[in-house]
Amino acid sequence: MPFSVFLCWAKLGVASIIEAYWKPPRLRPPATSHDMGPLLRWKKNPVLAAICIFSTMTLILPLSFFYHMKTFVLKRAAVFPKPLMFSVAFMSIYSLGISLFKDIPDIEGDKAFGIESFSTRLGQKRVFWICVSILESAFGVAFLAGLSSPFLWVKIVTGVGNAVLGSILWYRAKFVNLNDRASIRSYYLLIWKLLYVSYILLPLIR
């Protein structure tokens, strides 16, 4: 991966971390999707909502950003390297966890408006630990991918980095009170912050 592309990706990660701490993403109020137009009420169908998040985070954002940098900024042929392909694989797992987790704090509003999300069907606790397991598997894959690199410094940086991120995610999960919306919100924001840190580690894997 050209250094300029890596630098832009790293800047995106740093900027995202700063944004997360100063202006973190908000959880939707329970009636948000109900107030939207009929064509935007994807939340009523948990599969469509998950597909929307999955496609945006996994395909649209990373591939379009990389393609734009390679072709329009660097004026080079769009050859997709290993770090990008791994980033897509990592995001496919991580975005799945986020798409399931986002409905956990909205369970009361979903029940009130008759929205059958995974949380209302399976229960908050079960979906919560499914999400944690999915997110942990993403860091596990990143950890193994880093260890498979022929470069020692990549093994050390990405291995330790992803191990720390996964440990933080698991440790904080044990203290989440699913009956407290503030506790769920805090953990949800942590998920995004860990993702933003991983933006710096992902381009290093090669």
Side-chain angles (χ1 to χ4, degrees):
M1 175 180 291
F3 178 74
S4 56
V5 176
F6 166 75
L7 184 60
C8 290
W9 197 301
K11 286 181 178 179
L12 175 63
V14 174
S16 300
I17 295 172
I18 297 175
E19 178 74 8
Y21 278 94
W22 287 98
K23 190 178 179 182
R26 298 180 179 179
L27 294 176
R28 300 178 316 281
T32 298
S33 58
H34 178 77
D35 296 333
M36 294 181 177
L39 297 179
L40 298 178
R41 294 175 185 171
W42 284 24
K43 191 177 186 300
K44 288 188 174 182
N45 189 316
V47 176
L48 287 179
I51 290 176
C52 178
I53 296 176
F54 176 87
S55 59
T56 301
M57 296 181 63
T58 304
L59 301 175
I60 297 176
L61 290 180
L63 294 181
S64 61
F65 176 80
F66 183 85
Y67 183 81
H68 173 77
M69 289 297 301
K70 288 285 286 187
T71 58
F72 293 96
V73 178
L74 301 178
K75 306 297 183 181
R76 298 178 182 176
V79 178
F80 299 106
K82 179 181 177 180
L84 178 63
M85 293 297 97
F86 172 75
S87 297
V88 171
F90 174 87
M91 291 304 301
S92 66
I93 302 174
Y94 207 89
S95 62
L96 178 60
I98 290 178
S99 64
L100 295 178
F101 193 97
K102 68 178 179 57
D103 291 326
I104 294 178
D106 294 342
I107 188 169
E108 294 182 3
D110 290 344
K111 289 181 178 179
F113 289 102
I115 299 175
E116 294 187 358
S117 64
F118 290 108
S119 296
T120 58
R121 293 178 180 179
L122 303 178
Q124 280 183 310
K125 184 176 182 180
R126 185 176 181 182
V127 173
F128 174 80
W129 285 108
I130 289 176
C131 293
V132 172
S133 299
I134 293 174
L135 297 171
E136 286 289 351
S137 66
F139 288 122
V141 170
F143 175 81
L144 295 177
L147 293 182
S148 67
S149 173
F151 304 101
L152 179 60
W153 69 271
V154 173
K155 293 182 179 180
I156 296 175
V157 174
T158 60
V160 174
N162 284 290
V164 170
L165 296 180
S167 299
I168 294 174
L169 183 74
W170 183 261
Y171 177 78
R172 287 286 302 275
K174 296 186 294 183
F175 299 97
V176 175
N177 182 2
L178 295 178
N179 295 320
D180 183 3
R181 185 176 175 83
S183 179
I184 299 175
R185 180 180 185 274
S186 176
Y187 191 76
Y188 180 74
L189 297 182
L190 174 68
I191 291 174
W192 282 96
K193 292 172 183 177
L194 296 179
L195 173 62
Y196 296 152
V197 175
S198 70
Y199 281 164
I200 301 176
L201 298 176
L202 290 177
L204 300 178
I205 297 177
R206 58 196 65 200

